[in-house]
Amino acid sequence: MTEHAILIRNMNKYYGSFHALKNIDLEVKRGERIVICGPSGSGKSTLIRCINRLEEHQSGDIEVMGTMLDENVDHIDEIRREAGMVFQNFNLFPHMTILENCILAPMLVRKIDRVEAEKTAMEYLARVKIPEQASKYPGELSGGQQQRVAIARALCMKPELMLFDEPTSALDPEMISEVLDVMVGLAEDGMTMVCVTHEMGFARQVADRVVFMADGQVIEQAEPETFFENPQNERTKTFLSQVLGH
Amino acid sequence: MTEHAILIRNMNKYYGSFHALKNIDLEVKRGERIVICGPSGSGKSTLIRCINRLEEHQSGDIEVMGTMLDENVDHIDEIRREAGMVFQNFNLFPHMTILENCILAPMLVRKIDRVEAEKTAMEYLARVKIPEQASKYPGELSGGQQQRVAIARALCMKPELMLFDEPTSALDPEMISEVLDVMVGLAEDGMTMVCVTHEMGFARQVADRVVFMADGQVIEQAEPETFFENPQNERTKTFLSQVLGH
Amino acid sequence: QEQGGRLKTVLDRGSLLCSGHNGSFLGFAEVDDQGKWKGLDIELCHALAAGLFGTSEGHLEIVPISWAQRWPALQSGDIDVVIKVSGWTQSRDTELNLQFSRPYFIGAFQAMTKTELGVKSIAELDGGTICVAAGTSTELAAATYLQSKSIKVELLTFENGDELRNAYYDGRCDAYIEWAPSLAAARLDAPDGAEAHVILPDVIDLEAEGIVVPEGDPKWLDVQNWMLSSLWFAEANGITSENVDEIRANPPSATIEKFLGVTPGYGARLGLSDDWAYNMIKEVGNFAEIYDRSLGDSSPYGLPRGINALYSNGGVFYPLIVD
Amino acid sequence: MPISIFGAIRKKYFATPTDIVVSSILAVLVLWLLANVIDWAFVKAVFGAGRRDDCLAAEGACWSVIASRWRIVLFGLYPFEEQWRSGVACLIMVIVAALSCVPYFWNGKRLLGLWLSGFAVFYVLMRGGFLGLTPVFEQNWGGLALTLFIFAAVCILGMPMAIVFALLRRSELPWISRTMGLIIDTIRSLPLLTIMFTFAIVSPFVLPDWAVGDKLYRVIVGYAIFFACYQAEIIRGGIQGLPAGQEEAAKALGMGYWHRIGYIVLPQAFRNALPPTINQIVITFKETSLVTIIGFFDVMASGRAASGTAEWSFAHVEVYCFVALIFFVFVFSLSRYGAYLERRLGVGRR
Amino acid sequence: MLAILKNRHVRDTGFQAGFVGALVILIVALVVTGKANLEAQGLTSGFGFLERSTGWRISFSLIDYTTSSPYWLALVVGLLNSLFLGAVSLSFATLIGVTVGVMRTSGNGMAELVGTTFVEIFRNVPLILQLLFWYSLLLSLPAPREVEPVLGVFAFTGRGIYIPGLNITGLSAFLIVVSLIAGASVNLWLSTAERFKTVSVAVRRKWKICLWLGVAIVVFAITWWGRLPETPFFTIPEHRGLNYRNGIRVSPELFACIIAISIYGAAYIAEIIRSGFNAISPGQGEAGHALGLSRWQIFTRIRLPLAIRIVMPTLINQYVWLFKATTIGIAISFTDFFMVVSTAINQSGQTLELIAILMGGFLVINYSIAWVLNRVNDAIKLKGTQMRI
Ligand SMILES: Nc1ncnc2c1ncn2[C@@H]1O[C@H](COP(=O)(O)OP(=O)(O)OP(=O)(O)O)[C@@H](O)[C@H]1O
Ligand SMILES: Nc1ncnc2c1ncn2[C@@H]1O[C@H](COP(=O)(O)OP(=O)(O)OP(=O)(O)O)[C@@H](O)[C@H]1O
Ligand SMILES: [Mg+2]
Ligand SMILES: [Mg+2]
């Protein structure tokens, strides 16, 4: 068992001829909580999606939980099982109830029997504070509730690592905090987390490290204190002044 | 030639059993510029659409430019020729170029020959500051440009009276001013205008009178000064505090 | 297919796949009120099945099939034999790799027209319109005849027998060329009565209708030929479905004794049971009976035998020698 | 503001002078047509079995032919004494079709189970050969039962094919999707008749003997492939209507290809594609009538056989009307149901 | 080794090779079996038979055809007949369909009722039944002897419909239609193509005048060249003997096909048109009203053009589908392409070759229809990104 949850070395990603990620190096230790930020189009989503192979990278190495992300299909499956992901648009399955959303993957992928899976699911739904919605359909929930279900669904797979891609950016202001609360709770329980977000308050509160990206490159990494109080790079400064200025 | 551009007396309008306009009385003199405002659903659009018979009223009299709006189809045609209208959603004809949009009605309705109609159209397009777009299609223009074309199209019929139904409410903020500029120019040239809008700045600047509607009734009419500084009615006050509060 | 293949295939299968119709063809293949096939062609199918298996009951499948599909269906094995009023033409015989049995029905092509037109011969139809069935040898014969006699008429073709007849009744054409049996049937059946129509005497052509089997299968062809011959033999010798048991019990001659399978040989040579002819006669009767039920006096058509009678009655058919 | 009934009628039919003229002309036309049809179909018509001679004399319709020969139209060549089986089988098919309109059955497994079991009962009942039921071979099936059989078989066979085609068509592997696209486009631009014709006539030549099978089944296979190509495009449309995030979310949960397809993509795609699917099924049912041209004894052919006898050969229009009515009842109710579904889904769409 | 099998690229390549390979093998196997089976039956394969003379008639032909014409000519006759039937009936279907579609969205209750009834009846009964029905109806018209021509020039008889006509060959009539369609297409191209945007309207109008002059000359030339020898150029039907002479006779088979396909197609097209009209936002009509346009002007200048643009893609599919439906003509023996091929199979036994020709023919025709219509669609579709209409 390696001590690294994620290890990215010299990774490059192209969309056609567009160089979306340039020589990315990133290490995430087990139990570490990383916040990635940066201007729009800087490649944050792309990076996080490369980690569980929703996008394919072209060169360099990615290792997740000690498994090398290569062309071997078993490795890809392995990594996806270990990394839970939460999207900006929730992406709940609208034709299934909340509970079914949560038990589907454990039953199919982890081969857990239904009773067991439901038990786990109800636990996590309780944890994100919506156990009473279990038999509703996603369309009947508010955005904030849906995002919490999405988190619970990912947790039901008992991942070692959680990836968040702007989990609050599609939400109305009053719902953002209820989702962030859940994420803070998760962080406090010691989950390894990589989180793309513009919620700087959240970054300050829970992040072990903030990674700043621009133009497909990692420009700066630092602990939140240092990052917010004393950014080194010009780009970072401009960005922070914009984001915090609001 | 009457001195009234519009004369509405005791007019009522029903949608089925819903009483949309209640005992409306309204006079608009030639050259006068009226702004109508009021909360959503108060019947502003309905009122303005009754004036050129896009909606039929059930009782009371409407007289436009001295022509009585009754069942006589010639009267309706006459009034529609004299009253230009600009809609919230522009409603340009997407299968015709800008120029064709502008010359269609003059040619068909006023029987003006093509060369003449194109000359007039280009004049008005120049006036709304987009002569260079004449051969493009509406789909190729921005919203603000489209709305200016819609104004030019209405002007090409050389109407005595212009009706505006929230001409800026479907526009992005940066486009609103370019449309309002055109309208201010029009007002300065002495065009009779009836304008439904929530742009209070515009109302202050050009309106001779502001009409406030609520629940299908005209609640209050006053000069802009009086209306904004010293509203009489409770409803007006609440409304103004909301609108100006933003 | 190897030699004798089709006979063996049929016997092994235990049932005969015979051609039917997608709709009906008056007198030859129709459906009665109970949904059962009847008509001359169908009776021959029954005869064949009875000969092969002792009885057609449970051993005969009438496969509905359209005109256009009979050859491909035969070649592909969808059906074993085409008994579907098919004329024996050279191109069919040679290019299509079909083999015809001896004819079992002779149809003279004639024209029927309305009495009120007062027309006496086909030549007088010049300038008119004539209806004819599409893609059949009728069409070809009519065209050739009209061409050779320089008669200028318009030929209209129809795929379907019903359509064709109705077209004529409805005045769609002045005359209607078909082989005589159909004409007679149509005339008797005319909505305005038989008297309103007259069959012109000109014989445009003769068509000999045979049973069709694939080429290169002589044993299967033999069965067809001897089935037909047996039906005529029975007729010539007065053997009917009524009296066949009686005659078999005390055969008047050694030939008949052999024919009915009392003494062996008649069937074995064909690869059939020796009493096959008996079974056949027992079930469907001799040719006269079949004809009578389908087209003759016992049918609504009442078509006289004419040329289709045995040679002894002025017709052209004759049994082969049973030895 | 009260509006009188006359007012409503006036508004709807006679609002403007043009409306008055149009309405009046149309009304006269409709009444004239209606009067003629009623006159022919009822007033001057002959009812009751076996009244051929009355028919010949009458000016109106001869419904007598239907009274005498309706069983042929419905059951075709099926043995007379056994026709109750054919009738029951048809009824079962109708019930199955009706049941699949009940939302309870709207999931893959139940629908499949319903149709398969319904179809199996249909087949066993028709074919017989057990429990003292005499065997009746396919050649003797006919009329409505044959039409329903072909229709059901085409749907049951075609639907899974359509799914496979659709999945291959949108495969990420370019050669597979391109080849499948070519096949689908080619088959879609051929007339159904030529496909049926080819499968009926040509396939025996190009298939090895053991694979040939009965002509009926060959044509069904051909029709099913044709159906599948159309339906595949419909399903593909349904899949494309899904947000990309659905598949990604499933991937991120570690679900494999078949799980994603089976649990996430297809159930939603079918829901999206329901209205066009019903439309396609309606068309399929109607076009089943084409098999008569390639020599089957379906309800069209049996209709023609019903009037194709010396006795009744003048009464074909009446038989056509009867057959048309049969089709109309089936097709109209199906398409109405489709329209209802479309509205329902349209309202519920978020 | 196992690792290689787990490699995604290897797998992908494997799947693709497997799929395409299996398909190729299947096709090869079918062809080989087919050849073997046919040889076993002693049938010669190959396309040599196309040169042989047919020996059968074709009742309706646009070009010269006799019983001694070769097979390929018969096939051409069939193909032309199919195209002819398709062109005529699709035109009528469009005409009727648009009318009914408009009726259903007209706001006149009576028109809506009639339109709805029309669509529901004709969409819900199989085409083949409708065809047989119209055919029986046409055949039950009285015989020519008993028919007095309507207006002195149109005779509706059980033997066909007689209309006045030019005495020209069918082929030249066909060519005239083709040149008119070509003229219309070029016209459309001139008025919509991007590259002529810069040319002023007046100049374009001159071009169009030249274009139509050219078309007129071509049409006239074709007409002249295609005159039937020794007949007057223009004739009207008249009684002669048992039949009508002169004028143009439309056979009941053709006429029934045209009616059936037009009406069946119209029912479908009407639905498409209706959905197109419903998709237009009411604001478009209101804008027209506000400008003082009349109802008719709004309809012809705004709503109809918009509706057509909206439904064009759906219509294209519908046209291809309807063209395929013309094969139904075989049910009443209209000698279209399919009927000719079917007869040819029956007469020559060259099953495989003829089926290949049949499919090839339809593929070419349908791809051409789709291609042409898609060009039209590209030419007229709404410009720009804003698709809200
Ligand atoms: N599928 C794709 N094809 C081509 N280019 C893409 C694709 N997805 C993203 N890009 C480009 O890659 C760059 C990085 O995109 P990415 O979505 O990772 O940005 P981001 O940092 O997540 O931005 P945001 O904050 O807006 O989500 C952008 O310039 C984007 O246009
Ligand atoms: N076609 C219609 N049928 C029935 N009710 C209608 C119709 N159009 C408008 N109404 C109703 O009439 C009332 C007045 O509508 P109107 O559109 O005139 O309001 P408005 O003042 O223009 O509001 P907004 O600021 O939202 O445009 C509303 O309650 C509305 O629901
Ligand atoms: Mg992003
Ligand atoms: Mg409004």
Side-chain angles (χ1 to χ4, degrees), chain D residues 42-347:
Chain D
F42 299 106
V43 179
K44 294 188 178 144
V46 177
F47 296 90
R51 297 174 56 196
R52 173 179 194 256
D53 298 336
D54 296 343
C55 279
L56 284 176
E59 280 177 45
C62 174
W63 299 120
S64 186
V65 61
I66 308 296
S68 307
R69 315 245 311 163
W70 63 273
R71 291 179 70 146
I72 293 179
V73 180
L74 289 187
F75 306 125
L77 305 167
Y78 210 77
F80 193 75
E81 313 73 39
E82 308 285 340
Q83 281 177 0
W84 62 269
R85 278 158 59 185
S86 188
V88 172
C90 289
L91 208 63
I92 288 174
M93 247 23 249
V94 172
I95 291 173
V96 164
L99 279 183
S100 27
C101 297
V102 178
Y104 172 79
F105 285 101
W106 290 356
N107 84 34
K109 267 185 230 148
R110 286 184 197 147
L111 213 55
L112 193 73
L114 178 69
W115 276 83
L116 278 185
S117 51
F119 189 70
V121 174
F122 180 96
Y123 181 80
V124 164
L125 199 61
M126 287 292 285
R127 180 63 188 256
F130 73 105
L131 285 183
L133 294 178
T134 36
V136 180
F137 296 105
E138 282 85 344
Q139 289 88 340
N140 288 326
W141 298 9
L144 188 60
L146 184 64
T147 299
L148 287 177
F149 177 76
I150 296 175
F151 166 68
V154 164
C155 289
I156 289 176
L157 208 62
M159 208 44 104
M161 270 203 268
I163 294 173
V164 173
F165 286 6
L167 293 180
L168 290 174
R169 177 79 181 82
R170 68 178 280 290
S171 158
E172 284 166 8
L173 308 177
W175 279 100
I176 293 186
S177 69
R178 257 180 249 156
T179 317
M180 201 62 232
L182 187 72
I183 296 175
I184 289 180
D185 287 348
T186 304
I187 293 184
R188 274 163 52 98
S189 56
L190 292 173
L192 174 58
L193 252 180
T194 65
I195 303 258
M196 288 182 171
F197 196 73
T198 307
F199 273 80
I201 291 191
V202 183
S203 59
F205 292 108
V206 299
L207 289 177
D209 283 344
W210 51 265
V212 171
D214 193 86
K215 185 173 85 167
L216 177 62
Y217 296 108
R218 293 201 304 270
V219 170
I220 287 177
V221 167
Y223 195 0
I225 291 177
F226 183 81
F227 170 81
C229 286
Y230 271 87
Q231 183 60 27
E233 288 296 286
I234 293 173
I235 295 177
R236 186 164 75 105
I239 294 178
Q240 276 170 347
L242 293 186
Q246 289 292 316
E247 259 206 277
E248 285 184 349
K251 272 188 197 171
L253 285 169
M255 292 167 66
Y257 178 79
W258 294 111
H259 284 155
R260 293 200 300 268
I261 295 299
Y263 289 90
I264 307 300
V265 175
L266 282 183
Q268 296 188 63
F270 262 101
R271 200 155 296 194
N272 284 352
L274 200 54
T277 301
I278 292 192
N279 190 27
Q280 187 59 38
I281 286 178
V282 166
I283 291 177
T284 302
F285 182 72
K286 265 191 299 181
E287 296 199 332
T288 305
S289 58
L290 291 182
V291 297
T292 182
I293 292 179
I294 47 165
F296 285 103
F297 217 86
D298 78 323
V299 69
M300 275 299 305
S302 64
R304 288 201 279 180
S307 60
T309 184
E311 233 187 321
W312 297 111
S313 57
F314 58 90
H316 45 113
V317 172
E318 288 82 353
V319 175
Y320 289 154
C321 286
F322 183 59
V323 177
L325 187 71
I326 295 177
F327 271 105
F328 187 83
V329 168
F330 276 87
V331 176
F332 184 73
S333 36
L334 251 179
S335 63
R336 282 296 86 199
Y337 174 70
Y340 154 78
L341 263 189
E342 202 164 348
R343 265 198 315 280
R344 196 184 123 129
L345 292 179
V347 168

Side-chain angles (χ1 to χ4, degrees), chain E residues 98 164 223 268 276 370 386:
Chain E
V98 171
T223 321
Y268 276 92
Q386 177 234 358

Side-chain angles (χ1 to χ4, degrees), chain C residues 77-98:
Chain C
D78 277 344
I79 49 179
D80 296 316
V81 58
V82 174
I83 309 182
K84 197 172 161 81
V85 277
S86 304
W88 190 346
T89 72
Q90 193 192 23
S91 69
R92 284 176 184 173
D93 202 357
T94 55
E95 288 169 358
L96 288 190
N97 289 285
L98 302 172

Side-chain angles (χ1 to χ4, degrees), chain C residues 67-68 71 75 95-97 117 127 129 135 139-140 143 154-159 163 167 170-174, chain E residues 41-43 52 55 57 59 132 135 139 141 145 158-159 242-243 245 249 252-253 333 342 346-349:
Chain C
W67 292 108
W71 314 136
Q75 273 150 359
E95 288 169 358
L96 288 190
N97 289 285
L117 293 182
T129 322
E139 185 189 352
L140 187 53
E154 190 191 357
L155 278 189
L156 291 174
T157 56
F158 297 82
E159 163 83 356
E163 248 59 272
D170 297 337
R172 170 86 180 78
C173 18
D174 304 307
Chain E
Q41 302 213 356
L43 284 174
R52 286 209 306 262
R57 284 196 166 227
S59 59
L132 292 172
Y135 190 52
L139 290 189
L141 290 172
R145 268 171 289 110
R159 194 168 302 168
L242 296 177
N243 212 337
R245 274 297 155 83
R249 178 184 144 263
E253 292 75 33
S333 301
S342 164
N346 215 5
Q347 297 286 339
S348 76

Side-chain angles (χ1 to χ4, degrees), chain E residues 225-240:
Chain E
W225 161 75
R227 260 177 325 141
L228 294 180
E230 292 160 26
T231 53
F233 191 55
F234 179 80
T235 57
I236 51 176
E238 51 190 289
H239 261 178
R240 189 167 309 160

Side-chain angles (χ1 to χ4, degrees), chain D residues 185-186 188-191, chain E residues 83 316 319-324 359-372:
Chain D
D185 287 348
T186 304
R188 274 163 52 98
S189 56
L190 292 173
Chain E
L83 287 174
I316 294 174
Y319 280 131
V320 170
W321 188 70
L322 279 176
F323 182 77
K324 294 198 296 176
M359 305 220 148
F362 272 105
L363 281 184
V364 170
I365 294 174
N366 280 333
Y367 274 116
S368 316
I369 295 179
W371 188 84
V372 169

Side-chain angles (χ1 to χ4, degrees), chain A residues 110-211:
Chain A
R110 292 240 189 252
K111 315 278 179 221
I112 293 170
D113 75 74
R114 192 181 192 96
V115 181
E116 182 71 13
E118 284 187 0
K119 223 180 97 229
T120 322
M122 288 311 295
E123 266 166 34
Y124 283 111
L125 284 175
R127 178 144 172 202
V128 300
K129 306 196 189 67
I130 35 175
E132 73 284 359
Q133 312 283 6
S135 59
K136 287 201 184 158
Y137 283 88
E140 299 167 326
L141 266 54
S142 75
Q145 290 173 320
Q146 288 194 42
Q147 191 61 298
R148 284 185 278 159
V149 173
I151 295 174
R153 180 175 70 177
L155 292 176
C156 283
M157 284 291 286
K158 310 219 181 220
E160 302 270 348
L161 161 71
M162 285 287 285
L163 307 171
F164 293 87
D165 187 4
E166 308 200 25
T168 56
S169 66
L171 297 178
D172 294 340
E174 64 268 33
M175 295 170 179
I176 292 180
S177 63
E178 63 188 36
V179 171
L180 286 181
D181 283 352
V182 168
M183 288 169 64
V184 170
L186 214 57
E188 280 164 2
D189 290 357
M191 172 68 81
T192 316
M193 288 165 70
V194 178
C195 183
V196 175
T197 183
H198 290 143
E199 295 296 328
M200 291 304 149
F202 173 77
R204 258 187 232 270
Q205 190 179 346
V206 307
D208 293 323
R209 187 154 34 111
V210 179
V211 175

Side-chain angles (χ1 to χ4, degrees), chain C:
Chain C
Q1 269 127 0
E2 76 278 25
Q3 290 280 303
R6 201 58 78 102
L7 177 59
K8 190 169 175 302
T9 314
V10 173
L11 288 176
D12 288 350
R13 190 195 300 130
S15 70
L16 172 72
L17 302 174
C18 200
S19 55
H21 207 285
N22 61 332
S24 80
F25 194 74
L26 297 181
F28 290 85
E30 302 176 13
V31 178
D32 70 10
D33 284 356
Q34 310 229 313
K36 284 208 182 66
W37 285 109
K38 62 176 186 180
L40 184 66
D41 286 339
I42 303 300
E43 298 264 5
L44 289 179
C45 287
H46 277 281
L48 184 56
L52 292 169
F53 302 108
T55 169
S56 71
E57 184 72 40
H59 296 290
L60 174 63
E61 298 298 334
I62 307 277
V63 181
I65 211 147
S66 67
W67 292 108
Q69 284 207 329
R70 55 198 155 152
W71 314 136
L74 180 66
Q75 273 150 359
S76 69
D78 277 344
I79 49 179
D80 296 316
V81 58
V82 174
I83 309 182
K84 197 172 161 81
V85 277
S86 304
W88 190 346
T89 72
Q90 193 192 23
S91 69
R92 284 176 184 173
D93 202 357
T94 55
E95 288 169 358
L96 288 190
N97 289 285
L98 302 172
Q99 194 129 28
F100 284 78
S101 73
R102 36 187 316 216
Y104 63 90
F105 189 88
I106 305 289
F109 290 113
Q110 280 166 287
M112 179 160 81
T113 179
K114 302 229 162 83
T115 318
E116 56 181 351
L117 293 182
V119 172
K120 293 277 180 300
S121 76
I122 291 181
E124 290 174 43
L125 286 169
D126 201 3
T129 322
I130 298 181
C131 288
V132 61
T136 61
S137 36
T138 326
E139 185 189 352
L140 187 53
T144 316
Y145 178 83
L146 294 168
Q147 211 165 17
S148 69
K149 293 272 194 296
S150 328
I151 303 173
K152 278 219 163 49
V153 298
E154 190 191 357
L155 278 189
L156 291 174
T157 56
F158 297 82
E159 163 83 356
N160 178 295
D162 303 343
E163 248 59 272
L164 179 58
R165 280 176 332 114
N166 288 320
Y168 168 71
Y169 291 146
D170 297 337
R172 170 86 180 78
C173 18
D174 304 307
Y176 161 28
I177 293 185
E178 215 5 311
W179 20 270
S182 281
L183 279 189
R187 178 169 174 265
L188 291 165
D189 190 43
D192 44 354
E195 300 312 312
H197 302 269
V198 50
I199 297 178
L200 302 178
D202 318 56
V203 172
I204 291 161
D205 208 344
L206 284 178
E207 184 178 88
E209 320 290 354
I211 297 175
V212 191
V213 297
E215 189 146 272
D217 197 346
K219 288 197 173 154
W220 187 227
L221 182 66
D222 287 345
V223 172
Q224 313 305 327
N225 279 329
W226 282 97
M227 169 193 71
L228 292 172
S229 177
S230 303
L231 293 175
W232 287 311
F233 183 92
E235 183 183 355
N237 290 288
I239 309 175
T240 67
S241 54
E242 309 272 281
N243 64 15
V244 64
D245 282 322
E246 206 174 302
I247 293 183
R248 185 160 129 119
N250 35 15
S253 71
T255 320
I256 290 175
E257 198 169 17
K258 183 154 195 164
F259 177 77
L260 292 177
V262 182
T263 52
Y266 189 60
R269 291 170 186 153
L270 288 168
L272 304 174
S273 70
D274 279 328
D275 59 353
W276 71 280
Y278 161 77
N279 293 331
M280 201 160 74
I281 309 295
K282 179 80 189 139
E283 178 161 341
V284 297
N286 63 32
F287 200 88
E289 290 176 81
I290 293 176
Y291 187 93
D292 190 53
R293 279 199 301 272
S294 306
L295 293 168
D297 290 335
S298 304
S299 76
Y301 306 107
L303 185 71
R305 274 299 272 282
I307 197 171
N308 286 301
L310 281 184
Y311 69 101
S312 46
N313 297 332
V316 298
F317 293 121
Y318 47 86
L320 305 172
I321 293 169
V322 175
D323 64 348

